[in-house]
Short mmCIF file of all heavy atoms in Angstrom, two decimals:
data_model
loop_
_atom_site.label_atom_id
_atom_site.label_comp_id
_atom_site.label_asym_id
_atom_site.label_seq_id
_atom_site.Cartn_x
_atom_site.Cartn_y
_atom_site.Cartn_z
N MET A 83 -2.24 77.96 88.17
CA MET A 83 -1.90 78.90 87.10
C MET A 83 -3.06 79.87 86.90
O MET A 83 -4.17 79.44 86.54
CB MET A 83 -1.61 78.14 85.81
CG MET A 83 -0.53 77.06 85.97
SD MET A 83 -0.09 76.27 84.42
CE MET A 83 -1.62 75.42 84.03
N ASN A 84 -2.80 81.13 87.14
CA ASN A 84 -3.81 82.17 86.98
C ASN A 84 -3.41 83.13 85.87
O ASN A 84 -2.25 83.16 85.46
CB ASN A 84 -3.98 82.94 88.29
CG ASN A 84 -4.45 82.08 89.44
OD1 ASN A 84 -5.19 81.11 89.24
ND2 ASN A 84 -4.01 82.39 90.64
N SER A 85 -4.37 83.90 85.42
CA SER A 85 -4.12 84.90 84.37
C SER A 85 -3.36 84.29 83.20
O SER A 85 -2.37 84.85 82.73
CB SER A 85 -3.33 86.10 84.95
OG SER A 85 -4.03 86.68 86.03
N LEU A 86 -3.84 83.17 82.74
CA LEU A 86 -3.14 82.45 81.68
C LEU A 86 -3.14 83.23 80.38
O LEU A 86 -4.11 83.95 80.06
CB LEU A 86 -3.78 81.08 81.48
CG LEU A 86 -3.39 80.05 82.56
CD1 LEU A 86 -4.37 78.88 82.57
CD2 LEU A 86 -1.97 79.57 82.33
N LYS A 87 -2.04 83.07 79.65
CA LYS A 87 -1.84 83.74 78.37
C LYS A 87 -1.66 82.69 77.28
O LYS A 87 -1.23 81.57 77.57
CB LYS A 87 -0.59 84.61 78.44
CG LYS A 87 -0.59 85.61 79.58
CD LYS A 87 0.75 86.35 79.64
CE LYS A 87 0.79 87.33 80.79
NZ LYS A 87 2.10 88.03 80.87
N PRO A 88 -1.94 83.04 76.04
CA PRO A 88 -1.71 82.07 74.95
C PRO A 88 -0.28 81.54 74.93
O PRO A 88 -0.06 80.37 74.59
CB PRO A 88 -2.03 82.89 73.70
CG PRO A 88 -3.05 83.88 74.16
CD PRO A 88 -2.62 84.25 75.55
N GLU A 89 0.68 82.34 75.32
CA GLU A 89 2.07 81.89 75.33
C GLU A 89 2.37 80.89 76.44
O GLU A 89 3.48 80.33 76.49
CB GLU A 89 3.04 83.08 75.42
CG GLU A 89 2.73 84.05 76.54
CD GLU A 89 1.92 85.25 76.05
OE1 GLU A 89 0.96 85.05 75.27
OE2 GLU A 89 2.25 86.38 76.48
N ASP A 90 1.41 80.64 77.32
CA ASP A 90 1.57 79.59 78.33
C ASP A 90 1.22 78.21 77.76
O ASP A 90 1.39 77.20 78.43
CB ASP A 90 0.69 79.87 79.54
CG ASP A 90 1.11 81.11 80.31
OD1 ASP A 90 2.33 81.30 80.50
OD2 ASP A 90 0.23 81.88 80.72
N THR A 91 0.71 78.18 76.54
CA THR A 91 0.36 76.91 75.90
C THR A 91 1.60 76.04 75.76
O THR A 91 2.62 76.47 75.21
CB THR A 91 -0.26 77.15 74.53
OG1 THR A 91 -1.51 77.84 74.70
CG2 THR A 91 -0.50 75.84 73.79
N ALA A 92 1.52 74.83 76.30
CA ALA A 92 2.66 73.92 76.29
C ALA A 92 2.24 72.60 76.92
O ALA A 92 1.16 72.49 77.51
CB ALA A 92 3.82 74.51 77.08
N VAL A 93 3.13 71.62 76.79
CA VAL A 93 3.00 70.41 77.60
C VAL A 93 3.76 70.67 78.90
O VAL A 93 4.92 71.08 78.87
CB VAL A 93 3.58 69.17 76.88
CG1 VAL A 93 3.49 67.95 77.80
CG2 VAL A 93 2.84 68.93 75.58
N TYR A 94 3.08 70.45 80.01
CA TYR A 94 3.67 70.71 81.32
C TYR A 94 4.10 69.38 81.94
O TYR A 94 3.32 68.43 81.99
CB TYR A 94 2.68 71.42 82.22
CG TYR A 94 2.55 72.89 81.89
CD1 TYR A 94 1.93 73.31 80.72
CD2 TYR A 94 3.08 73.87 82.73
CE1 TYR A 94 1.84 74.65 80.39
CE2 TYR A 94 2.98 75.22 82.42
CZ TYR A 94 2.37 75.59 81.25
OH TYR A 94 2.28 76.93 80.93
N TYR A 95 5.33 69.36 82.40
CA TYR A 95 5.91 68.16 82.98
C TYR A 95 6.23 68.37 84.46
O TYR A 95 6.78 69.42 84.84
CB TYR A 95 7.20 67.78 82.27
CG TYR A 95 7.03 67.42 80.81
CD1 TYR A 95 7.13 68.38 79.82
CD2 TYR A 95 6.75 66.11 80.43
CE1 TYR A 95 6.97 68.06 78.48
CE2 TYR A 95 6.59 65.77 79.10
CZ TYR A 95 6.70 66.75 78.14
OH TYR A 95 6.54 66.42 76.82
#
Side-chain angles (χ1 to χ4, degrees):
M83 305 185 294
N84 299 328
S85 302
L86 283 162
K87 305 175 181 179
E89 51 264 43
D90 293 318
T91 295
V93 177
Y94 283 71
Y95 296 91

